[in-house]
Structure formats: structure tokens, C-alpha cells
Amino acid sequence: MRVHQLTFAALAVAASFSLTACQNGADGAGQSGGPSPSSTASAASTASPSVGSSDPGGGKASDGTTSSGGKGTAAGAGSDASGKAGKCRTDELEITAAERTIGGDADGTVAVTLKNRGGRDCTISGYAGVDLKTGSGSLSAKRTGQQADTAVLKKGDSTYFGITYPLNTSGGSGVRVTGLVVTPPDETKSVTLDWPGAGTLPVTEGGGASVKVGPVGSAGQGG
């Protein structure tokens, strides 16, 4: 009887050890698993953005270039280092002349057009040099004295000035005009044009009547 009691006691102790080992194994498996869902979400929210992302407020795009969130402004064509347009040069201007005399006027009028045919904006201001070629030599036009404004000519834009000259109403042959020489303001290079006005100027004492030129931008009748 005593032998049976000892045997039952040994079996009970062994069963107890087996149960404890199983419980410890289960607990170890739970502790060695991955992070809980809450910790995974937290890590994802603090992760740095991928290299390929772009920042609309500025930063680097996936190709390594810098984004600015807006378009850059290109420098104005024809501008110098200070951003101002340079002066119009003779070679950049298409210069033409046309008769603009209105019937009944005491003087004749020729309008001279200066058109920017260059590849940049340019500024023009002041008086052009004007000389009439005649059978008696060159006749320089006198300035009217009007205030000269500054104009910015964009590519394809034009400005004008007027030349007034006396009409030959004497009935005589007068002084024959053979050509018109124009030198743009602040330039030394001239262009020679056909004279579009009346063919002769009246002959007067003192070398002839005055031919006048207005400033650039004043192509009104009478200069």
C-alpha cells in the first residue's frame, strides 16, 4: 500500500513539472513576437519621406534638380546688367520717310519713321541729325526746341519725327533737293534716303529759308 502511495505522489510531481514547462513556453513565444499594432503605427508616422518625393515649397525632386514651387523670371531681352534697355543703334533701325503735307499749309511736312528691327528692346530720345542734299550743297535742319521725351522701342515698334520745310511758291526754279540724310539720336552712322517732299526749296536772301526738325516722338503737322 505504501508503494502505491509513493508511486502516485511521483506521478503527481511529474505532471506538475510538465504543466509548468508548457506554460513557460507559451509565455516565451508571446514575448518574442513582433511589435504590437500600436507601436507599428507610431513608427510609420515618424518615418522619413522617400527620396523620390517632391516638395512644392522647394526642395529636391527625384532627378536631383531643385524645385521652386513657381516659375522663374527670365531677364528682359536687350537689357544691360542693370536691367535697362540700351540705346537704339542705327543698324537696328529701319528708317523711312514720307510726304505728309496737308493742303493749305504754309510749310511742307515730311515724316520720318524709325522702326526697331533688332532683336532687343532699345531706348531712343532727343533729336536726329537731318541734312538735305541740294544742288547747292548740304543744308542742315534746325531744331524746333521742343521738349524731347524718351521712348522704349520693343522689337517691331516704331516712333516718328517731323521735318518742316518752306514750299516754293515763287514760281522760280528754286533750290533742287536730291536726298535726305538722317542720323539717329546719339549716333554717328547715317542713312541716306530719297527726298519724298517737294522737289525744290525757294531761294531767299541769306542762303535760303529754314528747314526745321522736331524731336523723336513729335510727328505732328508742322513739326
Side-chain angles (χ1 to χ4, degrees), residues 6-22:
L6 290 174
T7 300
F8 290 146
L11 291 173
V13 172
S16 176
F17 283 151
S18 176
L19 181 59
T20 299
C22 291

Side-chain angles (χ1 to χ4, degrees), residues 88-125:
C88 298
R89 300 304 181 191
T90 302
D91 291 339
E92 298 173 312
L93 297 172
E94 179 183 350
I95 303 175
T96 56
E99 171 68 17
R100 290 292 183 266
T101 302
I102 296 177
D105 283 355
D107 293 321
T109 300
V110 167
V112 178
T113 302
L114 303 98
K115 182 177 182 179
N116 181 5
R117 60 178 178 82
R120 66 183 182 105
D121 297 351
C122 64
T123 61
I124 191 167
S125 177

Side-chain angles (χ1 to χ4, degrees), residues 107-177:
D107 293 321
T109 300
V110 167
V112 178
T113 302
L114 303 98
K115 182 177 182 179
N116 181 5
R117 60 178 178 82
R120 66 183 182 105
D121 297 351
C122 64
T123 61
I124 191 167
S125 177
Y127 285 80
V130 171
D131 295 283
L132 271 61
K133 288 184 173 183
T134 75
S136 301
S138 179
L139 176 64
S140 295
K142 296 180 180 180
R143 297 180 178 184
T144 61
Q146 292 175 257
Q147 179 67 37
D149 296 325
T150 299
V152 177
L153 294 184
K154 295 185 179 297
K155 183 178 180 180
D157 285 355
S158 300
T159 189
Y160 313 86
F161 67 85
I163 302 170
T164 58
Y165 63 95
L167 296 173
N168 183 14
T169 59
S170 65
S173 59
V175 178
R176 186 169 60 91
V177 181

Side-chain angles (χ1 to χ4, degrees), residues 44-54:
S45 65
T46 58
S48 60
S50 63
V51 175
S53 62
S54 61

